[in-house]
Amino acid sequence: MKKVLVTGVSGYVGLHAAVELLKNGYAVKGSVRNLSKTEQLTRAIRKEVKPNGNLEFCELNLLKDEGWMEAMQDCDYVLHIASPYVASEPKDENEIIKPAIEGTQRALEFAKNAGVKRVVLTSSMVAMFGDADKSLNIGQDTWTNPNAKNMSAYVKSKTLAEKSAWDFIETQKGDNKLELVVINPGPIWGPTLSDKLSGESMNIVKDMISGKMPMLAKVRINMSDVRDIASIHVKALENEKANGQRFVVATENPYSFKEMAQILKSNGNEKVSTLEGPNFLLKFMSKFNSDLKGMKPFIGNTYDADVSNTMNTFNWKPISFEKSILDTAQCVKALI
């Protein structure tokens, strides 16, 4: 049985990926920052699939070498999902940029040294936004300019980490070349497998259905379902056509937060506001609100990604946006 190291297995995407791997006949080794989490993670996974002895855990830190070589030794593939995330802007952007880049480099270096065949890296559509100051059609060759005005630390971290991964692949030496596939999701929705309302998606939906979000940002973008993301990560492990490519895993069309609010409201969530805030007001408010500050470059724009290559390569069709949002809301209500 082939074994896959999943970094960041305790996260929103990581848990779904572990379940999808086990369902598809892979053994899973999940990395966590602290092994004290493993009992609750095992319980969460067992609700979805029986591991049958094919689930184990290891402790890894994105900023330290300890444990990485041992973790890789018996693995055939790696899903590098672990990456720092903060909803609001940190005082020092390197708090998330440094571990994002260094963690990616460690994953690739130790994977190559251990003879791993392929790494599937979780990036983001925010690494494909150009200068992020105007609407843009997104494809495999579009990149975010990390030096553009008002660029958030999170966007920089995802962009620079992915760029560092491709640089590593292009400059690697030796006969046994490590393969790389990159997954670029948009904003991620769908049910969590943990018993906690952690993560930006869960909190946004919670605030919307409770009426605590009076105004919505005017942004349109292809949206993603966490179940689709997990599925494509697993499909990308052994698909020969996928090597060396970036794949947007999201809806075929972009959606706005207003459309999301309308879906929630029309399905019995009466407290949801569908009011879009004026662009100038939201940009002004971003000077004083750290949550809005990260959104500033994107306000008023549409980012429309071409997902046809992903659909064709993996014979895949995205989960409908309505299902993603309603399933998220149902999950949030069950955990409130």
Side-chain angles (χ1 to χ4, degrees):
M1 179 179 286
K2 295 175 182 176
K3 184 181 289 187
V4 183
L5 174 65
V6 181
T7 69
V9 73
S10 63
Y12 186 28
V13 175
L15 261 179
H16 275 277
V19 167
E20 190 72 11
L21 285 164
L22 289 165
K23 285 180 177 179
N24 282 274
Y26 292 93
V28 173
K29 182 187 290 188
S31 86
V32 291
R33 282 176 291 182
N34 191 316
L35 287 172
S36 63
K37 295 180 177 181
T38 57
E39 189 174 328
Q40 66 189 61
L41 293 175
T42 302
R43 283 200 304 270
I45 290 169
R46 279 182 177 156
K47 289 178 183 178
E48 305 296 321
V49 62
K50 291 182 180 179
N52 294 324
N54 295 316
L55 175 65
E56 61 184 292
F57 297 95
C58 60
E59 191 171 308
L60 296 177
N61 187 316
L62 295 175
L63 291 170
K64 295 180 180 178
D65 285 344
E66 286 79 10
W68 281 88
M69 196 62 196
E70 294 79 5
M72 296 280 183
Q73 280 300 327
D74 56 347
C75 291
D76 301 281
Y77 302 98
V78 173
L79 297 187
H80 182 51
I81 299 172
S83 187
Y85 176 81
V86 290
S88 56
E89 278 293 283
K91 290 183 179 179
D92 180 2
E93 64 179 15
N94 284 311
E95 287 179 23
I96 63 173
I97 292 175
K98 188 174 191 287
I101 295 173
E102 290 193 15
T104 298
Q105 290 295 301
R106 279 187 172 83
L108 294 170
E109 286 172 6
F110 283 103
K112 181 174 174 62
N113 291 340
V116 167
K117 179 175 175 57
R118 179 179 291 183
V119 173
V120 179
L121 170 69
T122 313
S123 184
S124 171
M125 271 181 67
V126 300
M128 310 170 100
F129 278 3
D131 287 334
D133 60 347
K134 60 185 177 182
S135 296
L136 184 70
N137 289 327
I138 289 170
Q140 280 203 67
D141 299 325
T142 56
W143 281 94
T144 294
N145 174 9
N147 299 314
K149 187 179 180 182
N150 298 318
M151 199 61 66
S152 73
Y154 173 70
V155 173
K156 286 184 183 179
S157 75
K158 297 306 288 186
T159 306
L160 294 173
E162 189 189 337
K163 278 186 173 289
S164 76
W166 289 119
D167 288 344
F168 178 94
I169 293 300
E170 290 169 9
T171 59
Q172 66 179 316
K173 297 177 181 178
D175 295 329
N176 297 322
K177 299 289 187 183
L178 179 67
E179 297 178 354
L180 178 67
V181 179
V182 173
I183 308 299
N184 300 78
I188 305 172
W189 314 99
T192 179
L193 296 183
S194 73
D195 57 358
K196 296 180 181 178
L197 277 179
S198 57
E200 190 70 0
S201 301
M202 297 291 122
N203 286 314
I204 287 174
V205 172
K206 179 186 174 184
D207 287 348
M208 290 177 84
I209 63 179
S210 63
K212 293 181 179 179
M213 190 175 289
M215 285 192 304
L216 307 168
K218 286 184 182 179
V219 180
R220 297 185 78 238
I221 185 173
N222 306 70
M223 303 285 191
S224 301
D225 189 293
V226 67
R227 294 162 292 191
D228 279 336
I229 297 166
S231 174
I232 298 301
H233 271 77
V234 175
K235 290 177 184 293
L237 288 174
E238 299 190 67
N239 186 307
E240 292 183 7
K241 296 178 182 177
N243 181 38
Q245 294 199 61
R246 308 167 85 196
F247 293 100
V248 176
V249 180
T251 53
E252 292 182 73
N253 301 306
Y255 291 90
S256 66
F257 287 99
K258 182 174 182 176
E259 288 169 293
M260 175 177 163
Q262 288 169 333
I263 289 170
L264 290 169
K265 198 172 185 75
S266 63
N267 282 272
N269 299 285
E270 297 177 358
K271 294 182 180 179
V272 175
S273 169
T274 58
L275 177 66
E276 288 185 317
N279 293 344
F280 75 89
L281 178 60
L282 291 170
K283 288 182 178 179
F284 175 75
M285 288 171 62
S286 71
K287 295 180 180 180
F288 315 101
N289 184 308
S290 58
D291 292 335
L292 277 174
K293 186 176 181 182
M295 286 285 294
K296 186 177 180 181
F298 316 128
I299 292 172
N301 299 330
T302 294
Y303 301 96
D304 189 356
D306 181 0
V307 299
S308 61
N309 185 44
T310 312
M311 294 175 69
N312 294 334
T313 302
F314 301 107
N315 190 26
W316 161 80
K317 186 174 178 61
I319 292 169
S320 75
F321 182 52
E322 181 174 6
K323 177 174 173 56
S324 293
I325 296 308
L326 293 179
D327 286 355
T328 308
Q330 183 178 6
C331 181
V332 168
K333 289 175 184 177
L335 293 172
I336 289 177

